[in-house]
Amino acid sequence: ENFSDIIKEKTGMSKASLRGIAVHRVMECIDFAEILEIDTKDDGKVKKFVKGQLDFMLQSNEITDDMYKLLNIKAIESFVKSDVAQRMALADSKGELFREKPFVMEYNEVLVQGIIDVFWYEGDNIVILDYKTDYVDDSQELVVRYSKQLELYADAVNRLYGNDKVDNKMNVSERLIYSFRLQEAINI
């Protein structure tokens, strides 16, 4: 049996689903503020940073060996080099990056619950981002698939966290998807 078959047999989940879980876990655990300390234009330094982060996550049992084997390391390196990672790193250095935030709210007389991958403050605005590992050929597929989800997330963040930073109401100004497949941030 190969690794993928064993994982599917153990969990009942597809390799793609498990890869998504692994990527989300890495993004939950990565030390974003440290990205500010490296030259993200230097591929060698980015590789070293990502390897160091993943090794630490493995040693501290934040991720498993199985998760590690599912990761596309190059895609994580590409993310670390992205402008959006820089923005997140800056917010993290100020204590203004929030990951894996659960919410429950009423929406059109229906109770909706979810977990927001990440949001952060930028000035007087809030930016939300959802990580996607879907196998897609272009960004428009993700926009069509996930616009409503990000709309709900923005509503939840506005309701639950919009007043945290200042007396004036803050609002979500940007809704982003980061596609690990396409290795790009997509504005919704």
Side-chain angles (χ1 to χ4, degrees), residues 66-149:
D66 289 343
M67 287 175 151
Y68 189 93
K69 290 174 187 169
L70 287 166
L71 295 170
N72 176 342
I73 307 298
K74 296 249 184 259
I76 294 170
E77 291 168 357
S78 180
F79 175 81
V80 167
K81 292 191 270 187
S82 73
D83 290 342
V84 76
Q86 287 293 314
R87 293 168 66 189
M88 292 167 70
L90 186 58
D92 195 26
S93 73
K94 298 175 185 176
E96 297 180 342
L97 181 76
F98 307 94
R99 299 182 246 189
E100 298 297 317
K101 289 294 188 184
F103 71 90
V104 178
M105 68 177 188
E106 188 179 309
Y107 183 82
N108 291 341
E109 299 182 28
V110 175
L111 202 57
V112 177
Q113 66 179 1
I115 299 175
I116 299 162
D117 289 345
V118 65
F119 71 91
W120 65 93
Y121 297 125
E122 267 185 356
D124 291 335
N125 297 306
I126 302 172
V127 180
I128 60 172
L129 184 139
D130 200 55
Y131 306 117
K132 297 298 180 193
T133 57
D134 301 39
Y135 188 88
V136 292
D137 293 320
D138 63 59
S139 60
Q140 193 56 37
E141 288 180 66
L142 294 171
V143 170
V144 169
R145 238 179 252 174
Y146 296 110
S147 287
K148 187 63 174 178
Q149 178 187 359

Side-chain angles (χ1 to χ4, degrees), residues 24 39 44-45 47 50 53 67 69 120 127 143 146 153 172 176 184:
H24 277 77
D39 177 2
K45 289 183 179 171
K47 284 179 193 279
V50 171
Q53 290 284 309
M67 287 175 151
K69 290 174 187 169
W120 65 93
V127 180
V143 170
Y146 296 110
Y153 285 4
V172 171
L176 303 171
E184 69 175 301

Side-chain angles (χ1 to χ4, degrees), residues 30-38 49 85 88-94 97 99:
I30 198 167
D31 187 344
F32 279 98
E34 277 192 31
I35 292 173
L36 295 175
E37 305 299 319
I38 62 169
F49 170 79
M88 292 167 70
L90 186 58
D92 195 26
S93 73
K94 298 175 185 176
L97 181 76
R99 299 182 246 189

